[in-house]
Amino acid sequence: MKTLMVFDFDHTVVDDNSDTWVIRCLPSQSLPDSVKKSYRKGYWTEFMGRVMKYIGEQQVSPDSVRSVMEAIPFTAGMTDLLTFISEHKSSIDCIIISDSNTMFIDWILQASGFQAAVDQVFTNPAKFNELGYMEVQCYHSHDCRQCPVNLCKRKVLELYLSEQSGRGVQYEQVFYAGDGGNDLCPTSCLRGHDVVMPREGYTLEKLLAKMEGEEDDCSLRARVIAWSSGTDILKELKASIQL
C-alpha cells in the first residue's frame, strides 16, 4: 500500500502563477489592455492562448520564454519535499494536476531536476506552432459546474485512482496540497483517512473553513491540515509512511 501525493502547481509547488510569470519575457513586462480585457471568467486557458500569441508576435523566442520560466521561484520548503519524494518512490507516488500547461511545468521540473519526483502531470497541452507561437489547448471537456471549462481536477483524480486500482495499486492515504478555488472540487473524492492540505491564507483554506462550518454538508470527509511551507507537508508525509 503506497501513499499518493497530489499537488496543484501554481502558488503550491512554485511560489507564483506561471501563467502571469511568463509576462516577464516581454520587453515591457506587461500586456496591452486589448489582451488584458479579453479575459472571460472560467475561460483562462483560452485567454492564455491570446497571451502567448501576443508574446510570439513581439518576436520573443521560445528559448527566451523558457529561460524566464526556469527562473520562477519554488515555494519555501518545496525542494526538500520533492527531494524526499524522489528518494522514496517505492512508498510514494506523486502527481501534479494543474491549470498551467505542459511546457511551463516540464521546463520548470527539468531545470530544477525534479522530474524524478513526479510520476505524471495532468495539465493543459501546449506546443509551439510553425510561427514560433505557443498554443495552449484545454485539457479535457467535462460537465462539472464548479470548475473552469477546461479542467475538472476531481474528474482527473477520480480517473487516475480508478486506473491505478485497475493496475492493482491501492493507496493507503492520499494527500492533496493546493491553494485555489479549483482545488476544492477534487477534495470531495477524498476519503476520511485522506488529507487535504490548503495553503494558509489562500482561497482553498477559506472555502474549506466555510464548508466545515456547514454541518449539513458532508461532501468533505478528508482531514484538513493547513500548510505554509513544503516543510509542513513533508512532516505529514513522513508521519504517514512512518519515517
Side-chain angles (χ1 to χ4, degrees):
M1 294 282 279
K2 300 180 84 172
T3 296
L4 176 64
M5 184 74 235
V6 185
F7 287 111
D8 169 48
F9 193 69
D10 295 329
H11 290 297
T12 298
V13 175
V14 293
D15 203 18
D16 212 302
N17 182 326
S18 57
D19 282 344
T20 54
W21 182 270
V22 74
I23 308 306
R24 294 165 185 248
C25 72
L26 288 165
S28 64
Q29 298 202 4
S30 64
L31 293 169
D33 285 346
S34 59
V35 177
K36 280 183 193 171
K37 292 176 180 177
S38 70
Y39 171 63
R40 291 187 300 147
K41 186 175 170 63
Y43 291 83
W44 181 261
T45 304
E46 185 185 275
F47 170 70
M48 280 308 298
R50 290 189 291 276
V51 170
M52 297 313 300
K53 182 174 184 290
Y54 175 78
I55 287 172
E57 288 168 348
Q58 306 315 300
Q59 309 299 312
V60 178
S61 71
D63 285 344
S64 295
V65 178
R66 179 170 186 158
S67 63
V68 163
M69 295 313 302
E70 289 176 346
I72 195 169
F74 277 76
T75 301
M78 206 51 74
T79 56
D80 289 341
L81 173 55
L82 290 169
T83 299
F84 177 82
I85 291 170
S86 64
E87 291 170 349
H88 293 83
K89 294 309 296 175
S90 61
S91 306
I92 306 167
D93 284 344
C94 175
I95 63 173
I96 289 171
I97 309 176
S98 167
D99 209 356
S100 181
N101 68 69
T102 52
M103 300 206 82
F104 287 179
I105 294 177
D106 287 350
W107 285 339
I108 293 163
L109 291 179
Q110 284 172 21
S112 59
F114 285 124
Q115 316 100 297
V118 181
D119 298 291
Q120 277 185 266
V121 176
F122 302 92
T123 187
N124 304 299
K127 64 177 182 180
F128 283 97
N129 64 19
E130 65 281 358
L131 296 172
Y133 303 175
M134 184 187 285
E135 295 177 342
V136 186
Q137 297 174 302
C138 293
Y139 178 74
H140 61 189
S141 59
H142 62 84
D143 54 9
C144 176
R145 294 186 179 181
Q146 287 187 59
C147 292
V149 67
N150 62 293
L151 176 64
C152 171
K153 293 187 176 187
R154 175 180 52 79
K155 187 175 178 181
V156 173
L157 181 55
E158 285 177 340
L159 184 58
Y160 177 81
L161 291 170
S162 173
E163 289 177 345
Q164 287 294 86
S165 179
R167 296 183 189 107
V169 180
Q170 300 290 335
Y171 293 108
E172 190 166 359
Q173 202 168 24
V174 177
F175 288 83
Y176 187 104
D179 71 283
N182 65 352
D183 292 310
L184 183 65
C185 189
T187 66
S188 64
C189 69
L190 299 177
R191 304 157 299 181
H193 55 281
D194 295 331
V195 182
V196 54
M197 302 194 72
R199 189 172 183 181
E200 287 182 0
Y202 284 71
T203 303
L204 180 60
E205 184 187 34
K206 294 165 187 170
L207 292 172
L208 289 169
K210 186 180 175 186
M211 280 179 71
E212 288 182 303
E214 296 170 357
E215 292 180 11
D216 60 340
D217 192 328
C218 59
S219 60
L220 178 66
R221 298 182 295 277
R223 286 190 298 136
V224 178
I225 302 174
W227 64 277
S228 60
S229 77
T231 308
D232 300 328
I233 302 171
L234 179 55
K235 179 183 171 187
E236 296 300 327
L237 198 55
K238 280 183 174 178
S240 82
I241 60 174
Q242 298 172 338
L243 280 180

